[in-house]
Amino acid sequence: TIGGNVAENSGGVHCLKYGLTVHNVLRVRGVTMAGEVVEFGNHGLDAPGYDLLALTIGSEGLLAVVTEVTVKLTPKPEVAQVIMASFDDVEKAGNAVAAIIAAGIIPAGLEMMDKPATAAVEPFVKAGYDLNAEAILLCESDGTAAEVAEEIAAMRAVLGKSGATDLRVSSRHPYPTICSFRPAGVMHPTYGLTHNISTRSSERICGASVSADVSGLSATPARLPRERILARACPRSRHA
């Protein structure tokens, strides 16, 4: 929901170009624990005083329960295309990400998968990912037809210099985005998976996955308290 996005300051693959929730919300109205109705931001691009709007977004409902959100509307891109670049080395693919940003290109989306990840995802999305490559990089461009053509050409040049062994460009629709949860659930049905992504932190784009084996549980999760499930699945964790 939009309220959930505000509570978590959520973002996705397109946050590289379009920003997180905080960059796309103009005004928030909510109710504090004391029952006071508060409002942060306005319908303009900026507001005087402390930036309490940014403070509220991502506060997970601790400052106020959000009841109304005014969002910024962005026109849907006329065209969207994706380059799939294959690499024979994971490090080369990672360096290609830095090379694209260093060239002044801000793609609509930029995702990297190593060989095990493509092997897991391809049976579900059937996108035609290169299963022989050690890593692939998905670089999305959107905008007008002229803008996309220019950006795709620029990214192809950078990727070629970065050691890409193969470059493919989607004809009409972008390659599907990564969804690791369903493949991971089939490969490891007793594992709980959490995936987190941070962008341009210390000039790096990185992701991390955390999983916990819950095969030792003696009862179904629905019949056990949440804290007990987490304690048994992650015995080293002190907090739920």
Side-chain angles (χ1 to χ4, degrees):
T1 63
I2 294 179
N5 277 264
V6 170
E8 300 295 335
N9 190 25
S10 304
V13 64
H14 294 115
C15 66
L16 182 63
K17 179 176 182 179
Y18 294 105
L20 301 168
T21 300
V22 69
H23 303 110
N24 293 280
V25 170
L26 299 176
R27 184 181 64 90
V28 164
R29 177 180 292 173
V31 181
T32 67
M33 287 188 291
E36 179 186 0
V37 177
V38 292
E39 186 174 311
F40 306 117
N42 57 36
H43 292 90
L45 296 178
D46 204 354
Y50 294 112
D51 191 2
L52 298 179
L53 177 63
L55 182 65
T56 304
I57 297 174
S59 64
E60 299 185 336
L62 295 177
L63 300 181
V65 175
V66 175
T67 58
E68 185 178 316
V69 182
T70 302
V71 299
K72 180 178 68 175
L73 298 180
T74 302
K76 185 177 180 179
E78 178 185 324
V79 178
Q81 284 186 298
V82 174
I83 299 177
M84 181 178 69
S86 303
F87 292 87
D88 56 11
D89 181 73
V90 174
E91 186 172 350
K92 289 181 181 178
N95 290 334
V97 173
I100 289 174
I101 302 301
I105 304 170
I106 305 298
L110 198 55
E111 293 186 288
M112 186 178 77
M113 286 189 286
D114 61 7
K115 197 170 187 177
T118 55
V121 174
E122 176 60 24
F124 293 90
V125 297
K126 295 179 174 59
Y129 293 143
D130 187 349
L131 299 179
N132 296 316
E134 291 300 318
I136 65 171
L137 195 60
L138 302 177
C139 312
E140 182 179 350
S141 174
D142 65 11
T144 65
E147 289 172 339
V148 170
E150 181 180 353
E151 193 166 76
I152 289 290
M155 286 196 291
R156 285 178 66 104
V158 172
L159 292 168
K161 292 180 181 178
S162 299
T165 57
D166 185 37
L167 294 173
R168 306 180 199 173
V169 181
S170 63
S171 56
R172 293 174 55 191
H173 301 290
Y175 288 98
T177 56
I178 299 173
C179 181
S180 58
F181 296 98
R182 187 180 176 193
V186 172
M187 292 188 299
H188 302 287
T190 62
Y191 270 63
L193 178 69
T194 301
H195 183 68
N196 302 284
I197 299 176
S198 60
T199 62
R200 291 197 288 183
S201 176
S202 300
E203 299 183 353
R204 295 182 181 180
I205 296 180
C206 57
S209 294
V210 179
S211 59
D213 190 356
V214 294
S215 57
L217 296 178
S218 57
T220 59
R223 296 180 182 179
L224 284 175
R226 180 172 180 270
E227 293 77 9
R228 187 180 171 192
I229 293 174
L230 292 171
R232 297 188 63 178
C234 313
R236 294 183 181 179
S237 176
R238 297 178 56 191
H239 304 285

